[in-house]
Each structure stands twice: as C-alpha cells, then as structure tokens.
Amino acid sequence: MTDSLDEVLGHLDAWLGANAPADYAALNPPATQDDIDAITDRRFDLHPDLVTWLRRHDGSSATSHAGPGVILPGGFILLTSAGMRDGQRWMEEGIAEWIDANESEDPDLRDIYDGVYGYSFHVRWVPIASDLTGGKLIVDHRAGDGFGNVLYGLQTGDADAPVKVWDSLHQMFQQLLGALTEEVPMRLADYAEPQTPSVSGAGHDAQVMWA
C-alpha cells in the first residue's frame, strides 16, 4: 500500500531531523488556514496535496540556494504561502499587461488565450519553489488530467511553456524521500543532470547537499 502524502512528509521530517537537522530547522511551521486561503483568495481551490504540504510546513526559511532548508535538487527554495500568493498575482498582472498591449489587434484575444500569457503564464499556476536563475516549480490548477501536476519553467528569458516534472506533489516528495534515504540520484527534468544527495557537516549543522 502506498503511503499517503501526510505519511510521506512525516517520514521526510523524521529523516531530516535525524540526519540533516539544519535543514529540518529551516523548514517553517505550518501555514495558517488564512494564509492558505489567501494564495488564491478563494477564487479557485488549491490542490489537496498543496494544502497537505502547507499544513505541515509553510515552505522554507532558507536565504541561500545552497544553504540549510534547500532539500530539493537544483537549489530550489520552497516558497512560503505568501511567496506562492505573490507568484500567482505576478502571473495575473503579467497576463493583464500583455492583453492590454495586444487585444486591440484582436478583440477575441482574451478568449483565445484563456488566461495564458505568451503560452507561458496562467492564472491557475501556483509557484511552490524558486531557483537561483528564476526558474519555478509550479502546481498546475487547471481543470483536467493535468490538475495537480508539478511543472518546471519560467526561468528568466524563458520563451517555452513549463514542462511536467512530476504527476503530483505526492510523487515529488515520495521521490525525494527515496533519494535521501537510499542516497540515489534524483532528476529534476528529462534534460537535467541527475543529482545525488549526501549529508554535509555534523551535529546540528548537518544538511543535505546535491551534486
């Protein structure tokens, strides 16, 4: 039987607490329900996996892409609920600006793009992590088979739409737990080099490093 996401996160917390306490200490306490609701302002429902994650940790307090709290490969810092909210609003603002600048050329543009900006932004994409180059991990909240997929994209200057990396946050954290406990490589995307985790430092300063 496959563990639930809450069970996976419990195992992950236990492993980090025992092996990489600096990383565990950098994970924030749970988000409040008000913080969770504010991400979308109740305009659409967050995927249950994202709610489960935020009820355990409101992202990471990491300030360096190679410092404590960076538990994912690629230097991704897990965003707080406030960071997710700001990222979603940033996409909305970009979409509005693009439509204002272009819809005079085509009055049906708003319907054609259905909230998509340059085929790269969407009002129902919620960023959950950010890397040093501006790349984002995004939970897709569009209706359909892709609901809950974890996408990777939106790097600075990126003209391509994000690509799917995992089917769900559940799958992402399950794979992360397996990589950490078994010390096996984890690949962010098909075109990215796999990275293998190891623990650097000792005692309370021990943290996960990816190489």
Side-chain angles (χ1 to χ4, degrees):
M1 181 180 294
T2 302
D3 286 345
S4 68
L5 176 56
D6 197 52
E7 290 171 324
V8 170
L9 295 175
H11 294 318
L12 180 61
D13 278 353
W15 188 92
L16 292 171
N19 297 278
D23 286 320
Y24 181 69
L27 294 178
N28 292 324
T32 67
Q33 189 60 50
D34 285 346
D35 291 336
I36 294 171
D37 290 341
I39 294 172
T40 67
D41 198 23
R42 298 178 182 269
R43 290 171 297 173
F44 59 90
D45 293 332
L46 286 180
H47 191 277
D49 283 359
L50 185 50
V51 175
T52 297
W53 163 243
L54 289 170
R55 285 178 175 167
R56 183 170 287 271
H57 293 294
D58 190 5
S60 170
S61 62
T63 57
S64 165
H65 290 274
V70 182
I71 60 175
L72 290 169
F76 275 93
I77 294 177
L78 289 157
L79 298 176
T80 63
S81 53
M84 296 179 195
R85 179 199 64 211
D86 291 346
Q88 193 274 337
R89 300 299 190 278
W90 171 71
M91 289 193 203
E92 284 192 346
E93 291 169 3
I95 291 166
E97 291 175 2
W98 193 85
I99 289 175
D100 287 345
N102 291 277
E103 67 176 345
S104 60
E105 300 175 10
D106 186 342
D108 295 324
L109 193 62
R110 191 180 302 271
D111 294 330
I112 292 171
Y113 281 82
D114 189 25
V116 176
Y117 164 68
Y119 297 107
S120 295
F121 290 4
H122 197 280
V123 295
R124 293 201 175 191
W125 285 344
V126 177
I128 60 163
S130 179
D131 69 9
L132 187 61
T133 67
K136 300 288 191 298
L137 293 178
I138 302 158
V139 176
D140 193 347
H141 285 78
R142 292 174 294 178
D145 294 340
F147 179 62
N149 287 173
V150 180
L151 315 177
Y152 168 69
L154 301 185
Q155 287 182 305
T156 302
D158 193 356
D160 296 322
V163 296
K164 186 178 84 168
V165 186
W166 293 286
D167 291 337
S168 63
L169 275 179
H170 190 167
Q171 186 184 58
M172 183 187 85
F173 281 115
Q174 182 77 66
Q175 187 176 343
L176 173 63
L177 178 63
L180 294 175
T181 56
E182 300 173 22
E183 295 186 359
V184 296
M186 183 174 177
R187 187 191 299 271
L188 180 65
D190 289 343
Y191 52 81
E193 290 294 325
Q195 292 184 295
T196 303
S198 62
V199 174
S200 176
H204 294 298
D205 295 326
Q207 68 179 84
V208 173
M209 302 294 290
W210 293 88

